[in-house]
Amino acid sequence: MIDLHTHTTASDGRCTPEELVARAAAAGVRVLAVTDHDTIAGCAEAADACARAKMTFVPGIEATAVVDGADVHVLGYFVQTNSPALLSFLAEQRQRRVERVREMIGRLVGHGITLDAEAILAPALTDSTIAVGRPWIARALVEQGLVPNIAEAFNRWLARGRPGFVRRIGASPEEVFDRIHGAGGIASLAHPVLMKHDEWLPQYAQRGLDALEVYHSDHDQLTTSHYLGIAKTLRLGVSGGSDYHADDAHGGGRPGKVSLPQKHYEGLLRLRAARRAKASSAGSVSSS
Ligand code: AMP
Ligand code: FE
Ligand code: FE
Ligand code: ZN
């Protein structure tokens, strides 16, 4: 099995990278990407654990871009995790996450809900490589008995249009593609069914998007063949994964629940090689 979409405690997943790799290995995954929201902090530990388990590790990211206040999730694969430009971009994204979550908690106070912002934010404030997100507020609401579950926390308070919602400020999809390419990676548009704007895909393909996440836990068979067709028309690669968070509220129930067919994984490897060849020829032109 090939699972190229998973989360860890470096963002809103519930497993440490090591636990994630153990679960993935037990489920029969042999190629695993960790794709945390706006951080690569889980990659080093996951890479070590994959090496011990004799699994192939793909360093990844799920960067959050914004269009008209709506989120566009962009996956980056094969990124160099020591790229200073990528690291500083992600640090900015995470700083904006801290500000947004603080503001959202402030909104909730206005509705008679008192949450301890500093306690919720603590892991991200203690370690700035950890990315906070709305699920951390959702968990606090559940723990305090204010909502029965995470889904209800979003439906009542945290989703777009709900009282606690604050618009995100962040990079455009095009900027995210460039940042990923700058770090030697390729960009894939995550779970297009959740973006709900297929009409944006042609312009993204023109502007540097390399692949489309055709296989995903939220895609049924019909949706999968729909996006397979779009990827073919737009000459995009195909990526896929479970979006495992170790959390019933979101993503697949286990790593490998959604597996990318090998031929598409090989297509992603070819896209990486093509990007790197392009980058090195551009580099030799500019340095001559
Ligand atoms: P953020 O990046 O802070 O806006 O949080 C977005 C994350 O919240 C997503 O990656 C999901 O993991 C989670 N999420 C978004 N909507 C829902 C929902 N309706 N129910 C459960 N989790 C959600
Ligand atoms: Fe998430
Ligand atoms: Fe996502
Ligand atoms: Zn995800």
Side-chain angles (χ1 to χ4, degrees):
M1 280 184 272
I2 300 175
D3 190 340
L4 300 186
H5 193 156
T6 64
H7 293 269
T8 75
T9 44
S11 67
D12 59 1
R14 301 249 197 190
C15 283
T16 65
E18 204 173 337
E19 286 163 354
L20 170 73
V21 173
R23 289 185 191 194
V29 173
R30 55 185 184 79
V31 182
L32 178 74
V34 166
T35 53
D36 275 307
H37 301 289
D38 293 317
T39 180
I40 43 102
C43 285
E45 189 183 320
D48 286 350
C50 278
R52 287 195 299 273
K54 306 217 171 348
M55 287 157 62
T56 300
F57 178 70
V58 174
I61 183 91
E62 183 173 18
T64 313
V66 198
V67 177
D68 297 335
D71 297 345
V72 174
H73 289 190
V74 182
L75 296 157
Y77 292 120
F78 313 111
V79 288
Q80 288 146 2
T81 52
N82 60 355
S83 154
L86 180 67
L87 290 170
S88 76
F89 166 66
L90 295 175
E92 263 174 57
Q93 294 268 102
R94 289 192 300 273
Q95 183 53 39
R96 288 189 289 240
R97 283 179 168 274
V98 168
E99 287 155 18
R100 178 182 187 226
V101 163
R102 233 196 219 111
E103 209 178 321
M104 288 186 71
I105 294 169
R107 293 264 170 109
L108 292 174
V109 169
H111 288 82
I113 290 184
T114 310
L115 294 174
D116 183 346
E118 299 316 304
I120 291 171
L121 286 164
L125 297 177
T126 313
D127 178 351
S128 67
T129 70
I130 303 294
V132 68
R134 282 180 289 165
W136 293 19
I137 310 179
R139 288 171 197 168
L141 289 168
V142 174
E143 276 160 24
Q144 296 219 9
L146 294 163
V147 289
N149 53 49
I150 302 275
E152 207 38 38
F154 274 87
N155 289 341
R156 268 177 60 189
W157 299 109
L158 306 173
R160 199 177 185 191
R162 307 311 297 159
F165 184 80
V166 171
R167 275 170 82 107
R168 181 193 301 278
I169 298 169
S172 67
E174 292 83 356
E175 179 182 355
V176 173
F177 306 155
D178 290 347
R179 297 283 185 179
I180 290 168
H181 295 151
I186 60 167
S188 180
L189 192 107
H191 41 65
V193 79
L194 300 180
M195 182 173 81
K196 299 190 186 81
H197 286 284
D198 287 0
E199 75 279 11
W200 293 348
L201 293 171
Q203 78 207 48
Y204 293 162
Q206 281 225 321
R207 188 49 187 74
L209 183 68
D210 301 283
L212 191 61
E213 190 179 46
V214 169
Y215 297 87
H216 184 269
S217 297
D218 290 337
H219 289 181
D220 59 19
Q221 220 170 1
L222 209 65
T223 310
T224 303
S225 44
H226 170 71
Y227 286 114
L228 212 44
I230 293 186
K232 197 168 174 192
T233 307
L234 297 177
R235 296 172 167 275
L236 290 168
V238 170
S239 77
S242 61
D243 209 354
Y244 181 70
H245 284 70
D247 194 324
D248 293 343
H250 182 55
R254 63 173 168 78
K257 189 199 162 217
V258 168
S259 180
L260 180 69
Q262 172 76 21
K263 66 171 180 185
H264 294 307
Y265 177 63
E266 285 166 11
L268 298 178
L269 293 173
R270 284 194 295 276
L271 285 166
R272 169 181 69 166
R275 277 278 165 214
R276 295 210 171 158
K278 207 167 152 184
S280 68
S281 71
S284 64
V285 168
S286 65
S287 63
S288 64

